[in-house]
PDB file of all heavy atoms in Angstrom:
ATOM      1  N   ASP A 420     -20.013  21.891  -3.541  1.00  0.00           N
ATOM      2  CA  ASP A 420     -19.686  21.669  -4.957  1.00  0.00           C
ATOM      3  C   ASP A 420     -18.357  20.933  -5.101  1.00  0.00           C
ATOM      4  O   ASP A 420     -18.198  20.075  -5.980  1.00  0.00           O
ATOM      5  CB  ASP A 420     -19.660  22.996  -5.728  1.00  0.00           C
ATOM      6  CG  ASP A 420     -18.678  23.999  -5.132  1.00  0.00           C
ATOM      7  OD1 ASP A 420     -18.428  23.944  -3.917  1.00  0.00           O
ATOM      8  OD2 ASP A 420     -18.171  24.855  -5.884  1.00  0.00           O
ATOM      9  N   LEU A 527      -8.390  28.376  35.155  1.00  0.00           N
ATOM     10  CA  LEU A 527      -7.163  28.903  34.544  1.00  0.00           C
ATOM     11  C   LEU A 527      -6.827  30.308  35.042  1.00  0.00           C
ATOM     12  O   LEU A 527      -5.853  30.915  34.603  1.00  0.00           O
ATOM     13  CB  LEU A 527      -7.316  28.926  33.017  1.00  0.00           C
ATOM     14  CG  LEU A 527      -7.407  27.553  32.334  1.00  0.00           C
ATOM     15  CD1 LEU A 527      -7.801  27.720  30.870  1.00  0.00           C
ATOM     16  CD2 LEU A 527      -6.079  26.808  32.448  1.00  0.00           C
ATOM     17  N   ALA A 693     -27.462  15.470   3.752  1.00  0.00           N
ATOM     18  CA  ALA A 693     -28.706  14.780   3.401  1.00  0.00           C
ATOM     19  C   ALA A 693     -29.624  15.615   2.519  1.00  0.00           C
ATOM     20  O   ALA A 693     -30.465  15.092   1.805  1.00  0.00           O
ATOM     21  CB  ALA A 693     -29.445  14.366   4.664  1.00  0.00           C
TER      22      ALA A 693
END
Side-chain angles (χ1 to χ4, degrees):
D420 57 332
L527 293 170

